[in-house]
């Protein structure tokens, strides 16, 4: 015969091509006279199809009836399934006529195999529009030119071929298939009429399928899911399509919905209830397991006669086994064994768990009933022998090692599978709870949990108790499986420990069950489990945590946690690429374990200098800045990152009304106190009646609420907040403290001390009481009294002397009604004896006075010029050199350091920090032709106040810093001595005329002073200056004619604010660097340069690393990495270790 020419789908007239979700009749609705196909055909035929190609079709018909070349079908030849794939008998294009007899035929791709006659929209479709079981066909008859009918018990299907010869081929193929089907049915008397074969469905019922108006009747039979129009069609066996579960996968979608996913289409089903959905999921997962199963292992094990029957109940052909007990069991008994827990019996399927069945394990199971020595081992284990006991032989310390040494392969396999088996217990005492850090070969646990449907977003609302379903859960071999009940064999679902990214424990009574925990997975799913028992919930959390956390991070399990998981991060010197770290959140502490490193020191979230979220919604980065540490946590997975973000923000906020529960600064001072004190120091020291006057109640209340909520993010600005509102907020906060600033336990002792007449005894008693206060209270008291001490220094202007401040703050701090005069006396004593009670040294007091004086003078100058600085000072800073195009106008708050100013300037000019670049802020004195690099922690505001008209600030590279650091790293001790050229500058009669010339002098510099000797042999110094009061400038003005070009200028300011200057010259540049490095070292307690990589700036917008745009606080990530690379070895630490 001639080769049949195939008509591609694209060439079929549009009028006769059907869309996936429309009926044949609906698509022909352009002609109202055309008959619609029966409702069962047109309303449920549309199954969207894919176009995957596989192998060519095979046939079992004689060659005279075959089409020489058939187009491949996506489902043909798919190599999975418990039974061999039914070969295709015949396939080709046919015209199909609706049952009502319409004259318009529709092209259909028709396939016939030994079991079904199916027709499709095209030859590329995976799922049919209809399938007719061959067993249902009663006869095939010709009805006219090129037409024939396929007749079933209640339906007739009409087809038309392109020729009489082709019609004949189809009729012969159909008749032969019907005859062979009848012969097979007669051979098997148990085969009933219909498509279901000899199997009863594992589950059948009505489901909603997205894209269909009415519910479909769905049946799960063996390894297939079959779709029918309704129950009647199901009984008749004529359906829409069936889905081979060897290529399927099911997963939960929401509370009542689930998806059946195949390579060709996603079927979205909805059940009546969540319970029904779980039952459908279990049935479909069983079908997948059936489709992927194989009988090879079972047949080999059944070859041993005793293994052909269940070891428990005697049922024939058991297809399950307990691999550690070496027995075969049936499906029913497998459920009972699973209920015992994996620690007692490890149940595996002979057909589905193919990876478990190694050659040795099969031999062990086959030999279990015939090998004497293995039976003896089983008996000993059953009597309670320890699998991991010490054998007494150091070379083979365990029974497993002994079996390996003896070459007993079967014994080895048996012992290996029993390593985690629980020893039988004769008493009901609970086993001792193991500590989190105990290392076990595997983690096993089982029991009932209450579970809700998985979610794709955070659970914002409370989940009622009715939304939880009781499930038997088993944690074994790194998989958390949940079953319908303890006897079920196939799990409803499972969570692999390797896919868990976060484990969270909400506060009690967050949901319907008092104790709950959340499991987040890589697939962006959240699983909520609940229990009534706190002990059981904690045990589950402990076991799940141990199952998914690696051994290096086990230290994180030493304490209970609210959240535990892995997150991508960047920190320290590794900013080029993100790494994965393990984090745990406990209270306000965030603990971390990074790769190849020990457990980091916890981040105190309430002490963060900054907590911000950078980047867009798709690429978010959480930036945590603690003193000298910056950590970037990336939002690679939105679901668990959002949970972490909310938890960290909550932990970093104030958690209560007590002082210790507030956000804290570096010195343990609550941020809310620091914010108010700092603002009043800058803007209110000269305000008349400060603290005596009250602010507006409504504004005060709003301000206090915002400060209590997140004081770190509140920025107080003059013009937006009045000083009286801020002072009232501070007083209200202190008065409302539940335990008071001086604590209830010590309050009376403080009040009684105020009545002591002897001043020395009173001060001594105050210092004792101060030492007894909690650390946060003690730091707050000092900060507040220090502030009030400054306020009373300007009592001539603000009218608030020590007595007036005591009248205001006595009742506030001691929370009295104002009738007890002793409260005011305590405050007055503390202010009056501030220096002695709080052990304030002269240097600290001097710096405090300088800063306050600078602020007041600048405000007076601003008032005179008609400008206000809102507590800040705006100055001009230059970059690298003093030029008009390099100047930057910067607002300098009182708290800004030289390091922050430097990085602010670099950030504004988008200057990258390369490796070995030491950017520093310099104070330049043009008249003296000298410059001084500011220490990175030095406050800028007092310096600005002291600058003359011929001085300015410039940010540039410190060319000598690297050499200085190397010198300090190799230098022993903190002293320096040697000969230098010396000249003193004494201003005569105010004319500024220098006297004398340069002379050789011997100098000794130590941690306390700089001494000058006339010569090396001198015993008494000619001059001696305290080293911390000296300012050292690089350079000597030329008109002094210095003997070398390597000189520096030393300035000393006396208590009477008289300045003295000396000029010193060294013989070499290296000698100059050594002297200057030693000055910095002794003046700043060895901290010459930041020892940790905190010198980062806010990133330029264009900087991207990987797929996430990071915005560091001070400079791009590459800039930060290069900047801190020079300190990888931490040269200063070498000196500390000497």
């Amino acid at each position: 015969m001639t080769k049949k020419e195939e008509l591609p789908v694209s060439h079929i007239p549009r009028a006769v091509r059907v869309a996936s979700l429309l009926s044949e009749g609906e698509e022909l609705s352009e002609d109202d006279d055309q008959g619609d196909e029966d409702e069962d055909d047109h309303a449920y035929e549309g199954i969207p199809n894919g176009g995957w190609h596989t192998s060519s079709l095979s046939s079992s018909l004689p060659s005279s009836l075959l089409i020489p070349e058939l187009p491949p079908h996506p489902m043909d030849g798919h190599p999975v399934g418990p039974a061999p794939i039914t070969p295709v008998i015949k396939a080709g294009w046919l015209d199909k006529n609706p049952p009502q007899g319409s004259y318009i035929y529709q092209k259909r791709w028709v396939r016939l195999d030994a079991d079904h006659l199916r027709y499709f929209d095209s030859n590329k479709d995976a799922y049919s529009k209809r399938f007719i079981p061959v067993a249902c066909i009663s006869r095939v008859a010709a009805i006219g030119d090129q037409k024939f009918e396929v007749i079933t018990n209640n339906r007739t299907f009409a087809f038309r071929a392109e020729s009489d010869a082709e019609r004949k081929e189809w009729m012969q193929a159909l008749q032969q298939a019907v005859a062979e089907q009848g012969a097979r049915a007669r051979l098997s008397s148990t085969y009933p009429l219909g498509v279901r074969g000899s199997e009863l469905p594992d589950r059948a019922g009505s489901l909603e399928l997205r894209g269909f108006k009415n519910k479909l009747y769905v049946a799960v039979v063996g390894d297939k899911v079959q779709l029918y129009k309704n129950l009647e069609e199901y009984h008749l066996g004529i359906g829409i399509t069936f889905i081979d579960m060897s290529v399927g996968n099911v997963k939960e979608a929401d509370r009542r919905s689930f998806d059946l996913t195949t390579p060709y289409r996603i079927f979205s089903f909805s059940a009546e209830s969540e319970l029904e959905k779980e039952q459908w999921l279990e049935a479909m997962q069983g079908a997948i397991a059936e489709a992927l199963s194989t009988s090879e292992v079972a047949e080999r094990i059944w070859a041993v006669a005793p293994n052909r029957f269940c070891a428990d109940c005697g049922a024939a052909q058991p297809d399950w086994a307990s691999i550690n007990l070496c027995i075969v069991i049936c499906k029913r008994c497998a459920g009972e064994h699973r209920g015992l827990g994996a620690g007692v019996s490890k149940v595996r399927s002979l057909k589905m768990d193919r990876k478990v069945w190694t050659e040795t394990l099969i031999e062990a199971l086959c030999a279990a009933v015939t090998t004497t020595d293995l039976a003896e081992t089983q008996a000993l284990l059953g009597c309670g022998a320890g699998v991991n006991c010490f054998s007494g032989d150091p070379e083979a310390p365990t029974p497993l090692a002994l079996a390996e040494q003896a070459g007993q392969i079967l014994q080895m396999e048996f012992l290996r599978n029993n390593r985690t088996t629980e020893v039988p217990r004769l008493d009901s005492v609970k086993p001792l709870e193991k500590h989190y850090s105990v290392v076990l070969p595997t983690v096993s646990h089982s029991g009932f949990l209450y579970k809700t449907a998985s979610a794709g977003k955070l659970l914002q609302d409370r989940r009622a108790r009715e939304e939880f379903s009781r499930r038997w859960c088993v944690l074994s071999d790194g998989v958390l499986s949940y079953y319908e009940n303890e006897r079920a064999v196939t799990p409803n679902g499972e969570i692999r420990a390797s896919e868990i990214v976060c484990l969270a424990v909400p506060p009690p009574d967050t949901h319907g069950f008092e104790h709950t925990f959340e499991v987040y997975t890589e697939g962006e799913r959240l699983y909520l489990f609940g229990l009534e028992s706190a002990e059981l919930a904690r045990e589950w959390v402990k076991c799940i945590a141990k199952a998914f956390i690696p051994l290096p991070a086990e230290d994180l399990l030493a304490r209970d946690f609210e959240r535990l998981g892995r997150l991508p991060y960047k920190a320290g010197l590794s900013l080029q690429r993100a790494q994965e770290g393990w984090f745990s959140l406990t209270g306000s502490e965030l603990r971390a374990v990074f790769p190849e490193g020990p457990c980091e020191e916890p981040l105190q979230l309430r002490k963060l200098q900054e907590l911000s979220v950078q980047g867009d919604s798709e690429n978010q980065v959480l930036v945590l800045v603690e003193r000298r540490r910056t950590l970037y946590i990336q939002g690679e997975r939105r679901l668990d990152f959002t949970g972490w973000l909310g938890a960290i923000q909550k932990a970093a906020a104030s958690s209560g009304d007590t002082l210790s529960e507030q956000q804290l600064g570096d010195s343990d001072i609550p941020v809310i106190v620091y914010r108010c004190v700092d603002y009043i120091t800058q803007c209110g020291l000269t305000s008349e009646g400060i603290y005596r006057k009250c602010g507006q109640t409504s504004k005060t209340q709003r301000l206090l609420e915002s400060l209590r909520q997140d004081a770190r993010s509140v920025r107080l600005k003059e013009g937006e907040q009045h000083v009286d509102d801020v002072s009232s907020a501070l007083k209200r906060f202190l008065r409302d403290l539940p335990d008071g600033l001086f604590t209830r336990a010590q309050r009376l002792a403080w009040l009684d001390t105020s009545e002591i007449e002897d001043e020395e005894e009173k001060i001594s008693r105050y210092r004792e009481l101060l030492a007894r206060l909690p650390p946060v209270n003690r730091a707050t008291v000092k900060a507040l009294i220090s502030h009030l001490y400054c306020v009373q220094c300007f009592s001539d202007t603000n009218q608030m002397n020590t007595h007036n401040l005591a009248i205001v703050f006595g009742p506030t701090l001691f929370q009295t009604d104002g009738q007890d005069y002793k409260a005011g006396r305590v405050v007055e004593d503390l202010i009056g004896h501030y220096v002695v009670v709080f052990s304030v040294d002269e240097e600290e007091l001097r710096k405090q006075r300088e800063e306050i004086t600078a602020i007041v003078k600048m405000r007076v100058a601003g008032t005179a010029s008609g400008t206000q600085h809102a507590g800040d000072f705006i100055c001009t800073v230059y970059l690298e050199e003093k030029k008009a195009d390099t100047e930057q106008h910067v607002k300098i708050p009182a708290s800004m350091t030289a390091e922050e100013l430097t990085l602010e300037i670099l950030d504004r000019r988008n200057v990258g920090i390369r490796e070995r670049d030491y950017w520093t802020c310099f104070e330049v004195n043009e008249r003296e032709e000298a410059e001084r690099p500011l220490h990175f922690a030095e406050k800028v505001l007092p310096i600005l106040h002291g600058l003359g008209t011929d001085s300015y600030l410039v940010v540039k590279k410190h060319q000598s810093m690297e050499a200085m650091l190397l010198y300090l790293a190799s230098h022993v001790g903190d002293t320096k001595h040697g000969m230098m050229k010396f000249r003193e500058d004494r201003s005569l009669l105010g004319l500024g005329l220098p006297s004398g010339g340069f002379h050789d002098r011997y100098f000794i510099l130590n941690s306390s002073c700089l001494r000058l000797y006339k010569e090396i042999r001198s015993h008494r110094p000619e001059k001696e200056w305290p080293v911390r009061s000296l300012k050292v400038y690089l350079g000597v003005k030329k008109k002094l004619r210095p003997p070398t070009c390597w000189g520096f200028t030393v300035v000393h300011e006396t208590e009477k604010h008289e300045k003295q200057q000396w000029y010193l010259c060294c013989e070499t540049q290296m000698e100059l660097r050594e002297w200057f490095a030693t000055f910095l070292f002794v003046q700043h307690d060895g901290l010459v340069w930041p020892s940790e990589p905190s010198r980062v700036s806010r990133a330029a917008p264009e900087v991207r690393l990987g797929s996430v745009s990071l915005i560091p606080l001070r400079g791009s990530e590459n800039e930060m990495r290069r900047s801190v690379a020079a300190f990888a070895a931490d040269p200063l630490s070498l000196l500390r270790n000497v």
Side-chain angles (χ1 to χ4, degrees):
M1 66 175 273
T2 61
K3 180 178 178 179
K4 180 178 180 290
E5 185 178 351
E6 180 183 319
L7 182 63
V9 179
S10 58
H11 295 168
I12 301 175
R14 190 174 185 274
V16 297
R17 278 190 282 136
V18 299
S20 299
L21 297 179
L22 297 178
S23 67
E24 297 177 1
E26 287 173 329
E27 292 178 326
L28 302 175
S29 59
E30 295 177 2
D31 187 354
D32 294 336
D33 295 332
Q34 294 171 350
D36 292 344
E37 187 166 349
D38 192 4
E39 183 181 334
D40 58 0
D41 261 0
H42 76 252
Y44 302 95
E45 285 187 334
I47 304 290
N49 295 293
W52 284 25
H53 296 278
T54 56
S55 58
S56 301
L57 301 172
S58 61
S59 176
S60 60
L61 280 182
S63 60
S64 60
L65 298 179
L66 288 177
I67 299 174
E69 293 183 11
L70 293 176
H73 188 272
M75 298 300 292
D76 294 344
H78 208 62
V80 186
I85 297 174
T86 307
V88 177
I89 298 173
K90 185 171 179 58
W93 289 102
L94 290 175
D95 296 330
K96 181 183 176 298
N97 191 23
Q100 288 81 0
S102 171
Y103 290 100
I104 297 181
Y105 283 78
Q106 298 167 328
K107 281 286 184 183
R108 293 287 181 264
W109 179 258
V110 185
R111 295 178 66 248
L112 173 66
D113 57 39
D115 296 323
H116 300 95
L117 174 67
R118 292 179 286 172
Y119 57 87
F120 305 79
D121 275 339
S122 77
N123 61 329
K124 296 181 179 181
D125 290 349
Y127 300 110
S128 61
K129 298 180 72 64
R130 279 292 186 188
F131 69 82
I132 308 162
V134 172
C136 294
I137 299 175
S138 57
R139 63 189 179 92
V140 181
I143 56 174
D145 294 341
Q146 304 170 0
K147 301 177 186 177
F148 65 94
E149 291 180 335
V150 176
I151 304 169
T152 67
N153 292 337
N154 68 326
R155 287 286 305 277
T156 300
F157 298 87
F159 297 93
R160 183 178 66 186
E162 291 189 353
S163 64
D164 290 337
E166 185 179 1
R167 178 184 65 175
K168 181 179 179 182
E169 292 175 4
W170 275 104
M171 291 181 63
Q172 289 179 350
L174 283 165
Q175 289 167 354
Q176 182 175 343
V178 171
E180 291 177 353
Q181 182 68 246
R184 290 198 299 270
R186 286 190 294 273
L187 291 175
S188 176
S189 59
T190 61
Y191 191 89
L193 182 66
V195 72
R196 288 160 288 163
S198 60
E199 292 184 77
L200 292 175
D202 295 308
R203 181 163 184 82
S206 297
L207 287 174
E208 296 178 10
L209 177 60
R210 186 181 302 168
F212 289 86
K213 298 177 182 178
N214 301 323
K215 289 184 178 181
L216 300 184
Y217 195 83
V218 183
V220 180
V221 182
D223 62 343
K224 291 181 174 57
V225 174
Q226 302 166 350
L227 307 183
Y228 299 88
K229 171 193 169 183
N230 50 38
L231 180 61
E232 180 184 358
E233 277 204 352
Y234 167 72
H235 288 301
L236 294 173
I238 300 174
I240 300 171
T241 192
F242 53 82
I243 304 161
D244 187 350
M245 296 303 284
S246 63
V247 294
N249 184 35
V250 289
K251 63 178 182 179
E252 297 178 87
D254 54 37
R255 295 185 181 181
R256 295 191 304 109
S257 303
F258 62 96
D259 293 338
L260 170 54
T261 306
T262 71
Y264 320 107
R265 187 201 164 175
I266 297 177
F267 298 85
S268 297
F269 294 101
S270 294
E272 288 291 339
S273 64
E274 186 177 353
L275 176 61
E276 187 177 340
K277 179 198 73 172
E278 296 286 352
Q279 294 170 346
W280 278 106
L281 284 172
E282 180 182 4
M284 291 190 181
Q285 286 164 350
I288 294 173
E290 180 72 20
L292 299 177
S293 65
T294 175
S295 299
E296 179 183 355
V297 173
E299 290 172 356
R300 290 186 58 186
I301 291 176
W302 291 339
V304 178
N307 289 336
R308 296 171 190 167
F309 302 95
C310 174
D312 287 354
C313 69
Q317 292 189 329
D319 52 1
W320 291 80
S322 172
I323 62 173
N324 62 315
L325 300 180
C326 285
I327 57 174
V328 287
I329 49 180
C330 64
K331 185 175 182 180
R332 178 181 175 185
C333 295
E336 299 291 342
H337 275 251
R338 197 179 293 277
L340 299 175
V344 176
S345 180
K346 293 183 179 180
V347 180
R348 297 293 185 269
S349 171
L350 300 181
K351 295 182 177 180
M352 292 180 284
D353 296 321
R354 284 179 286 183
K355 292 183 180 180
V356 174
W357 295 104
T358 61
E359 197 69 27
T360 308
L361 183 58
I362 295 174
E363 292 178 10
L365 193 58
C366 293
V369 294
T370 58
T371 305
T372 305
D373 58 350
L374 189 59
E376 181 69 17
T377 304
Q378 286 180 284
L380 290 172
L381 181 64
C383 293
V387 179
N388 297 312
C389 64
F390 181 61
S391 65
D393 184 356
E395 295 183 359
T398 64
L400 179 60
L402 285 173
E404 184 177 5
Q405 192 178 65
Q408 294 288 339
I409 300 177
L410 299 186
Q411 293 276 7
M412 288 171 56
E413 187 68 29
F414 179 72
L415 292 171
R416 189 178 292 113
N417 283 291
N418 279 279
R419 280 186 298 183
T420 58
T421 301
E422 296 176 1
V423 177
R425 300 181 63 88
L426 300 177
D427 57 303
S428 59
V429 179
K430 294 184 179 179
L432 293 176
E433 182 180 358
K434 298 183 180 68
H435 194 268
Y436 272 122
S437 60
V438 174
V439 180
L440 296 177
T442 183
V443 181
S444 300
H445 197 60
S446 60
F448 280 105
L449 285 173
Y450 292 85
K451 174 185 174 296
T452 64
S454 66
K457 58 183 180 180
L458 293 181
L459 304 178
Q460 304 291 349
D461 301 326
R462 177 184 175 88
R463 290 297 174 92
R465 194 182 184 94
E466 294 74 21
E467 299 181 63
F468 288 79
S469 301
R470 190 169 183 255
R471 293 289 179 264
W472 175 257
C473 297
V474 177
L475 175 63
S476 179
D477 296 331
V479 179
L480 175 62
S481 305
Y482 47 94
Y483 300 80
E484 187 69 26
N485 51 56
E486 68 272 29
R487 292 180 176 82
V489 175
T490 305
N492 289 7
E494 63 182 26
I495 305 170
R496 297 193 175 276
S498 59
E499 297 176 354
I500 298 177
V501 297
C502 181
L503 180 61
V505 183
D509 204 31
T510 301
H511 298 287
F513 281 86
E514 184 174 0
H515 302 282
T516 55
F517 60 91
E518 299 170 348
V519 177
Y520 296 75
T521 65
E522 287 182 340
E524 300 279 358
R525 303 301 297 177
L526 187 159
Y527 298 83
L528 177 65
F529 298 90
L531 279 170
E532 285 294 350
S533 168
E535 181 181 355
L536 292 178
R538 185 177 182 276
E539 183 68 20
W540 270 106
V541 169
K542 178 182 68 174
C543 292
I544 294 174
K546 290 171 66 176
F548 84 94
I549 201 164
L551 290 178
E554 240 188 9
D555 288 342
L556 298 178
L557 306 182
R559 300 168 59 188
D560 289 339
F561 53 82
E562 285 99 51
R563 189 169 287 265
L564 173 75
R566 52 187 167 97
L567 289 166
Y569 77 96
K570 295 185 180 181
L573 302 174
S574 306
L575 290 177
Q576 191 168 9
R577 61 182 180 86
Q579 301 183 74
E580 193 169 71
W582 291 87
F583 298 84
S584 71
L585 179 63
T586 303
S588 61
E589 284 188 357
L590 180 66
R591 304 170 68 211
V593 173
F594 298 149
E596 301 179 0
C599 186
E600 292 281 321
E601 182 181 347
L603 271 81
Q604 303 296 331
L605 296 179
R606 293 206 192 106
K607 291 188 177 183
L608 291 178
Q609 294 178 349
E610 183 168 341
L611 187 157
S612 60
V613 181
Q614 309 288 358
D616 53 29
S617 59
E618 296 297 325
N619 299 310
Q620 289 187 322
V621 179
L622 174 62
V623 184
L624 305 177
V625 183
E626 199 183 33
R627 189 178 185 183
R628 310 240 174 269
R629 281 198 295 180
T630 302
L631 179 66
Y632 305 90
I633 298 178
Q634 295 185 11
E636 185 177 71
R637 298 171 297 269
R638 178 177 297 183
L639 181 61
D640 68 299
F641 177 77
T642 305
W644 274 105
L645 177 60
I648 290 176
Q649 288 176 332
K650 182 178 179 181
S654 300
S655 61
D657 295 328
T658 64
L659 278 178
S660 60
E661 293 174 322
Q662 306 300 311
Q663 294 175 342
L664 302 176
D666 291 337
S667 304
D668 281 342
I669 302 171
V671 178
I672 185 172
V673 174
Y674 172 79
R675 284 278 188 267
C676 295
V677 166
D678 186 60
Y679 179 80
I680 294 172
T681 300
Q682 296 183 46
C683 306
L685 285 181
T686 57
S687 176
E688 184 177 350
I690 184 66
Y691 287 117
R692 179 173 54 81
K693 293 181 179 179
C694 296
Q696 295 184 19
T697 304
S698 58
K699 292 183 178 180
T700 299
Q701 187 63 31
R702 286 197 300 270
L703 175 60
L704 186 57
E705 288 177 359
S706 61
L707 286 169
R708 279 177 170 162
Q709 184 175 2
D710 188 7
R712 189 184 294 110
S713 63
V714 175
R715 295 292 182 266
L716 301 176
K717 297 182 180 179
E718 192 173 16
E720 296 182 7
Q721 288 90 14
H722 194 274
V723 290
D724 292 334
D725 297 331
V726 178
S727 64
S728 296
L730 176 60
K731 290 187 295 182
R732 177 75 62 83
F733 169 75
L734 295 171
R735 189 177 186 88
D736 292 345
L737 290 175
D739 195 36
L741 183 60
F742 293 98
T743 71
R744 293 178 180 175
Q746 300 185 36
R747 186 180 304 168
L748 292 177
W750 281 91
L751 296 175
D752 293 341
T753 302
S754 65
E755 295 186 307
I756 298 176
E757 295 183 358
D758 185 77
E759 288 296 319
E760 291 187 4
E761 182 182 352
K762 180 193 294 186
I763 292 172
S764 177
R765 180 60 176 162
Y766 278 140
R767 296 185 64 168
E768 291 177 7
L769 293 174
L770 186 66
R772 294 179 188 175
L773 288 176
V776 177
N777 295 58
R778 184 166 59 250
T780 306
V781 169
K782 180 178 179 180
L784 181 63
I785 299 301
S786 173
H787 169 65
L788 297 181
Y789 176 82
C790 295
V791 172
Q792 61 86 30
C793 289
F794 298 91
S795 59
D796 293 341
T797 305
N798 58 36
Q799 305 300 316
M800 294 301 292
N801 55 27
T802 302
H803 180 70
N804 291 339
L805 290 172
I807 292 175
V808 173
F809 275 93
T812 298
L813 300 183
F814 285 93
Q815 301 173 336
T816 64
D817 56 3
Q819 301 299 318
D820 191 347
Y821 69 93
K822 290 184 289 187
R825 180 176 292 179
V826 172
V827 176
E828 189 170 357
D829 288 339
L830 293 178
I831 298 174
H833 301 289
Y834 161 67
V835 175
V836 181
V837 173
F838 296 97
S839 303
V840 181
D841 59 36
E842 183 180 349
E843 183 66 18
E844 182 181 354
L845 189 60
R846 184 182 64 81
K847 289 183 178 180
Q848 183 177 351
R849 285 174 176 172
E850 284 183 357
E851 183 174 349
I852 297 303
T853 304
I855 291 173
V856 172
K857 286 186 176 181
M858 284 184 290
R859 291 191 60 80
V860 171
T863 304
S865 61
T867 61
Q868 291 184 344
H869 301 296
D872 299 331
F873 183 76
I874 297 177
C875 75
T876 300
V877 183
Y878 299 93
L879 180 61
E880 295 194 297
E881 57 181 326
K882 187 180 180 182
K883 292 181 4 181
D885 57 349
T886 64
E887 65 181 24
Q888 291 288 318
H889 302 287
V890 185
K891 180 182 289 187
I892 309 294
S895 60
M896 176 174 274
T897 63
E899 177 188 31
E900 293 169 343
L901 176 60
T902 300
L903 298 169
E904 175 74 18
I905 297 298
L906 295 179
D907 185 43
R908 288 191 180 191
R909 305 293 289 200
N910 198 22
V911 176
I913 303 178
R914 301 188 193 88
E915 187 177 357
R916 302 181 186 277
D917 282 354
Y918 299 90
W919 289 92
T920 308
C921 182
F922 285 78
E923 174 194 344
V924 180
N925 190 321
E926 292 178 315
R927 182 172 63 86
E928 292 292 334
E929 302 176 24
E931 61 184 14
R932 182 173 73 92
L934 305 184
H935 186 260
F936 66 90
E938 197 169 348
K939 295 292 179 64
V940 179
L941 193 59
I943 298 169
L944 288 176
H945 171 63
L947 289 181
T949 56
D950 50 7
S951 299
Y952 61 89
L953 297 182
V954 61
V955 172
K956 60 181 180 179
K957 297 177 185 176
H958 197 319
Q959 303 294 347
S960 302
M961 181 56 70
E962 183 178 5
M964 291 162 54
L965 290 173
L966 291 174
Y967 165 73
L968 292 174
S970 60
H971 181 63
V972 178
D974 57 354
T975 62
K976 172 74 176 170
H977 57 87
M979 298 294 295
M980 284 190 288
K981 302 290 185 180
F982 168 75
R983 177 171 179 167
E984 187 173 5
D985 184 7
R986 295 175 180 173
S987 298
L988 301 178
L989 302 178
L991 298 178
L993 299 176
S995 62
F998 284 90
H999 304 281
D1000 288 329
R1001 290 291 183 269
Y1002 186 73
F1003 288 88
I1004 295 179
L1005 174 63
N1006 58 32
S1007 59
S1008 60
C1009 62
L1010 174 66
R1011 295 189 178 98
L1012 178 149
Y1013 297 84
K1014 187 173 183 179
E1015 56 185 14
I1016 297 178
R1017 292 174 295 180
S1018 301
H1019 297 288
R1020 291 187 179 182
E1022 290 185 350
K1023 296 183 181 296
E1024 183 175 335
W1025 307 280
V1027 70
R1028 292 184 182 272
S1029 64
L1030 301 180
K1031 288 186 177 181
V1032 183
Y1033 293 79
L1034 294 171
V1036 177
K1037 52 188 175 183
K1038 295 178 181 178
K1039 72 176 183 178
L1040 297 179
R1041 297 180 182 180
T1044 69
C1045 58
W1046 299 294
F1048 53 90
T1049 302
V1050 179
V1051 179
H1052 176 240
E1053 185 174 357
T1054 64
E1055 295 180 357
K1056 298 180 180 180
H1057 301 289
E1058 295 177 351
K1059 285 189 178 181
Q1060 299 176 352
Q1061 258 177 223
W1062 301 277
Y1063 305 99
L1064 295 88
C1065 289
C1066 302
E1067 292 294 334
T1068 64
Q1069 184 183 30
M1070 191 61 209
E1071 189 179 347
L1072 171 65
R1073 290 173 175 174
E1074 292 174 0
W1075 277 103
F1076 196 81
T1078 309
F1079 268 111
L1080 290 177
F1081 185 85
V1082 297
Q1083 284 182 328
H1084 301 286
D1085 299 323
L1087 193 58
V1088 176
W1089 194 262
S1091 58
E1092 294 187 24
S1094 64
R1095 298 172 63 84
V1096 294
S1097 71
R1098 292 177 291 274
E1102 68 272 17
V1103 176
R1104 293 182 69 88
L1105 287 181
S1107 60
V1108 179
S1109 177
L1110 286 183
I1111 307 180
L1113 296 179
R1114 307 177 185 93
S1116 67
E1117 296 135 351
N1118 284 332
E1119 293 167 0
M1120 174 182 173
R1121 178 175 55 83
R1122 291 192 294 265
S1123 171
V1124 300
F1127 299 98
D1130 189 8
L1132 293 182
S1133 66
L1134 299 176
L1135 179 62
R1136 299 190 194 102
N1137 295 332
V1138 173

